[in-house]
């Protein structure tokens, strides 16, 4: 549970409920296309990860009924959508989707989210710290870069996604550290 | 007063420059700097590119080579010095007298700053570094009150730099062995305090439990702000009850002390946090740039704007006001 003055937004309940019936296979195909795009645009992420490219990360949006297993292999990175995270992970990062996205686009500071209890981390902390630093340096804009392959549909779909998780500028205004 | 800002990555350096830093301090990706964390710091090429960018934008870059050189491994520190000079660093921040001697001998024109890790806390110690190695600035340890800082600034023939925001040590900088005791690794020799490789977080009975090596450091109830699992900020069970024996988990915020630090003759103000993300860097630097502008215009300095970014979500002015005396 986060501290009482947390400013991190949560996914609206109707959307979270809708995600329960979201088919995972098409989502997974889309996510892996996105990951391929990010890999080609941000090769430095893998340099910063170093030996941690072999780790398995569990990413758990706590306001959604789905989670993701990230395997950031340099040659063939993979992300798998799951209903429940498996136990054979090296590390787990859990928190509201907007917090997880906000850490990738630089609008939230991961340490501050930890202090405010908005995110939870466990497992191999070296792997967690390396991933956080690699992503932070990359300036990857996950939402924007995830839809770039959609061509003319990219802009409206990006707007839709941002309306769901909150724009990065709004997160900045709400306090980069979370917790006010 | 110059605003000296941290950067753990090239992106963070760019954000610090854009937010109004006068100078940025950073280090190479090895144990020559005191923030040797996974995925953090600069390759040689990144350092050169980042310094060039900072110079284009009118900012300086200070390269921290501020761990103590390992016996038998001095070449690593020498190479870091040579490479930082080649990359056109504006100053080197050094703690080890052997490394200082190398800088003064091999690169006599290179500006040298005495790192906080050198724990130079009196005019005689500082003057030694000035006389012997031509040090131009000393970063004062966080053990001094403002009147003590003023007395030092008046007595020494170099500039003084003090911390104004960020993680606070237990006032034994450069001499602390707590991390080494618990994990075998220390900020002084390895560049890591409480290394991530030895940290565990667990949920137990609704509480967040943090451990460092074999030691339970803290247990946080639901809704209670968390902190780094450092031994100095652990909550321990004693015969007198449970509590913070050494130091509360709290960050330094000296915003309210800026007028007094200016009056004390301080040359530069330093923000801690090379291990923090871009969001922290951008917001803290921007906030202090605005505070310094207000100070220069004689306006009230806004305070307590950064509590949400602070360890334990609380702040202190630390030793600047020694209220316990």
């Amino acid at each position: 549970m986060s501290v009482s003055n947390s400013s991190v937004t949560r996914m609206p309940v109707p959307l979270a409920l809708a995600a329960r019936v979201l088919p995972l296979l098409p989502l997974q195909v889309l996510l892996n296309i996105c990951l391929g795009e990010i890999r080609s645009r941000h090769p430095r992420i893998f340099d910063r990860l170093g030996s941690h490219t072999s780790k398995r990360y569990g990413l758990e949006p706590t306001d959604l009924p789905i989670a993701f297993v990230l395997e950031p292999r340099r040659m063939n990175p993979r992300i798998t959508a799951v209903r429940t995270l498996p136990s054979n992970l090296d590390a787990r990062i859990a928190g509201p989707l907007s917090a997880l996205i906000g850490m990738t686009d630089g609008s939230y500071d991961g340490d501050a989210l930890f202090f405010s209890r908005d995110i939870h981390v466990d497992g191999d902390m070296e792997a967690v710290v390396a991933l956080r630093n690699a992503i932070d340096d990359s300036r990857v804009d996950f939402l924007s870069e995830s839809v770039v392959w959609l061509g003319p549909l990219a802009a409206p779909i990006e707007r839709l996604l941002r309306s769901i998780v909150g724009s990065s500028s709004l997160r900045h205004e709400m306090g980069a550290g979370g917790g006010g | 007063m110059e605003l000296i800002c941290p950067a753990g990555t090239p992106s963070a350096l760019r954000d610090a420059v854009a937010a109004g830093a006068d100078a940025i301090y950073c280090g190479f990706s090895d144990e020559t700097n005191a923030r040797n964390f996974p995925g953090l710091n600069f390759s040689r090429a990144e350092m050169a590119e980042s310094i060039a960018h900072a110079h284009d934008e009118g900012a300086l870059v200070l390269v921290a080579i501020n761990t103590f050189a390992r016996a038998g491994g001095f070449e690593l520190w020498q190479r870091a010095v040579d490479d930082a000079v080649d990359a056109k660093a504006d100053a080197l921040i050094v703690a080890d007298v052997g490394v200082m001697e190398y800088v003064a001998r091999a690169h006599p024109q290179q500006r040298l700053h005495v790192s906080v890790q050198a724990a130079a806390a009196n005019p005689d110690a500082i003057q030694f570094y000035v006389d012997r190695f031509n040090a131009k600035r000393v970063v004062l340890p966080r053990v001094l009150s403002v009147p003590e800082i003023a007395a030092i600034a008046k007595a020494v023939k170099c500039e003084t730099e003090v911390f104004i925001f960020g993680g606070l040590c237990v006032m034994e900088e450069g001499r602390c062995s707590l991390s080494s005791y618990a994990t075998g690794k220390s900020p002084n020799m390895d560049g890591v305090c409480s290394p991530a490789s030895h940290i565990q977080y667990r949920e137990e009975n609704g509480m967040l439990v943090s451990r460092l090596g074999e030691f339970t450091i803290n247990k946080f109830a639901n809704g209670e702000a968390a902190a780094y699992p450092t031994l100095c900020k652990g909550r321990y069970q004693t015969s007198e009850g449970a509590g913070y024996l050494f130091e509360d988990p709290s960050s330094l915020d000296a915003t309210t002390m800026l007028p007094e630090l200016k009056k004390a003759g301080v040359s530069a103000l330093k923000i801690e946090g090379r291990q923090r993300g871009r969001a922290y860097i951008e917001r803290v630097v921007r906030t202090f740039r605005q505070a310094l502008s207000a100070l220069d215009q004689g306006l009230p300095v806004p305070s307590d704007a950064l509590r949400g970014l602070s360890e334990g979500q609380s702040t202190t002015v630390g030793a600047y006001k020694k209220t316990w005396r």
Side-chain angles (χ1 to χ4, degrees):
Chain A
M1 181 189 289
S2 62
V3 296
S4 57
N5 58 345
S6 169
S7 64
V8 174
T9 56
R10 264 70 178 172
M11 182 71 67
V13 173
L15 283 173
L17 289 173
R20 282 190 179 173
V21 293
L22 189 70
L24 295 187
L25 190 59
L27 175 64
Q28 193 167 307
V29 170
L30 293 176
L31 286 171
N32 278 296
I33 293 172
C34 301
L35 192 59
E37 290 284 335
I38 290 169
R39 172 181 170 260
S40 61
R41 286 163 186 265
H42 302 281
R44 213 161 70 178
I45 289 177
F46 301 92
D47 297 336
R48 287 200 172 270
L49 275 171
S51 62
H52 300 291
T53 54
S54 63
K55 302 288 169 64
R56 278 164 58 86
Y57 295 88
L59 307 175
E60 186 177 8
T62 49
D63 47 357
L64 280 178
I66 52 177
F68 308 96
V69 177
L70 173 66
E71 296 169 276
R73 313 279 181 263
R74 188 184 286 272
M75 298 308 292
N76 54 342
R78 193 165 63 158
I79 188 160
T80 311
V82 293
R83 297 286 177 202
T84 310
L85 284 175
S87 56
N88 60 342
L89 296 167
D90 292 292
R92 181 181 70 106
I93 307 170
L97 182 66
S98 69
L100 300 181
I101 298 275
M103 280 195 290
T104 68
D105 65 20
S107 55
Y108 279 132
D109 175 71
D111 289 24
L113 289 170
F114 168 75
F115 298 148
S116 64
R117 309 285 297 276
D118 284 301
I119 62 164
H120 301 268
V121 290
D122 54 47
D124 180 341
M125 283 305 113
E126 274 201 320
V128 171
V129 170
L131 181 66
R132 190 281 301 266
N133 289 333
I135 297 286
D136 195 64
D137 179 57
S138 72
R139 291 185 184 278
V140 61
D141 185 334
F142 185 76
L143 290 183
S144 169
E145 296 182 39
S146 292
V147 298
V148 72
W149 57 279
L150 289 169
L153 291 175
I157 290 180
E158 184 185 339
R159 275 198 298 278
L160 175 69
L161 291 173
R162 288 198 190 283
S163 71
I164 294 171
V165 299
S167 70
S168 58
S169 58
L170 178 64
R171 287 194 292 270
H172 272 295
E173 289 308 310
M174 291 171 76
Chain B
M1 294 184 287
E2 279 181 34
L3 186 58
I4 315 294
C5 307
T9 63
S11 285
L13 181 141
R14 284 176 176 261
D15 284 1
V17 169
D22 293 310
I24 299 94
Y25 66 103
C26 49
F28 290 123
S29 308
D30 56 37
E31 71 256 43
T32 61
N33 93 81
R35 287 288 183 272
N36 181 24
F37 294 180
L40 205 67
N41 296 314
F42 292 63
S43 68
R44 266 49 179 178
E46 287 171 341
M47 185 66 81
E49 287 166 16
S50 298
I51 291 175
H53 169 75
H55 288 172
D56 286 347
E57 299 295 321
L60 307 176
V61 176
L62 322 177
V63 177
I65 305 171
N66 60 341
T67 48
F68 293 87
R70 183 168 22 88
F74 195 67
E75 297 76 19
L76 185 65
W77 280 260
Q78 283 182 315
R79 198 162 62 246
V81 167
D82 295 341
D83 291 343
V85 173
D86 285 348
K88 299 186 170 36
D90 295 286
L92 308 185
I93 308 170
V94 179
D96 184 311
V97 288
V99 180
M100 286 190 206
E101 193 278 334
Y102 177 73
V103 175
R105 179 166 45 82
H107 305 284
Q109 301 307 313
Q110 179 64 54
R111 187 177 164 92
L112 177 68
H113 293 182
V114 180
S115 169
V116 68
Q117 286 288 96
N122 61 68
D124 295 297
I126 296 164
Q127 202 55 44
F128 171 80
Y129 293 117
V130 173
D131 294 341
R132 191 64 187 259
F133 307 119
N134 196 27
K136 298 296 185 191
R137 179 181 295 177
V138 59
V139 185
L140 294 174
R142 287 160 277 192
V143 298
L144 301 164
S145 65
V146 173
E148 289 168 332
I149 290 169
I152 287 174
K154 201 172 170 188
V156 299
K157 294 192 179 80
C158 72
E159 300 167 356
T160 52
E161 180 174 311
V162 300
F163 281 91
I164 51 168
F165 190 82
L168 203 52
C169 277
V170 73
M171 303 182 181
E172 286 288 343
E173 286 153 312
R175 298 166 183 166
C176 180
S177 296
L178 287 174
S179 175
S180 189
Y181 174 71
T183 71
K185 291 190 171 183
S186 76
N188 311 324
M189 303 296 287
D190 308 283
V192 280
C193 175
S194 310
S197 55
H198 290 68
I199 291 173
Q200 291 173 48
Y201 295 114
R202 278 206 304 264
E203 297 284 341
E204 280 180 17
N205 303 322
M207 302 185 89
L208 170 66
V209 178
S210 62
R211 288 178 61 82
L212 180 69
E214 298 299 312
F215 300 91
T216 298
I217 302 296
N218 216 329
K219 290 184 178 179
F220 302 98
N222 266 337
E224 184 183 10
Y228 293 126
T230 51
L231 276 172
C232 58
K233 291 171 186 168
R235 186 157 39 184
Y236 301 106
Q237 188 74 46
T238 72
S239 56
E240 304 292 323
Y244 293 103
L245 290 186
F246 303 109
E247 188 178 13
D248 283 12
S250 188
S251 291
L252 175 69
D253 183 355
T255 312
T256 57
M257 310 296 293
L258 292 178
E260 289 175 65
L261 291 170
K262 188 177 183 181
K263 245 183 257 174
V266 165
S267 303
L269 305 168
K270 185 167 212 159
I271 296 166
E272 185 275 346
R274 281 189 281 151
Q275 75 283 12
R276 301 291 293 266
R278 289 187 288 118
Y280 167 96
I281 306 276
E282 195 279 332
R283 189 160 172 223
V284 176
V285 175
R286 178 163 45 86
T287 301
F288 274 100
R289 173 49 65 204
Q290 289 167 351
L292 289 176
S293 296
L295 185 67
D296 287 344
Q297 294 168 48
L299 300 171
V301 176
S303 62
D304 206 26
L306 300 170
R307 185 182 294 265
L309 290 167
S310 303
E311 183 174 13
Q313 302 229 302
S314 72
T315 58
T316 172
V317 293
Y320 293 143
K321 274 188 183 168
K322 290 183 176 172
T323 51
W324 60 86
R325 277 191 172 172

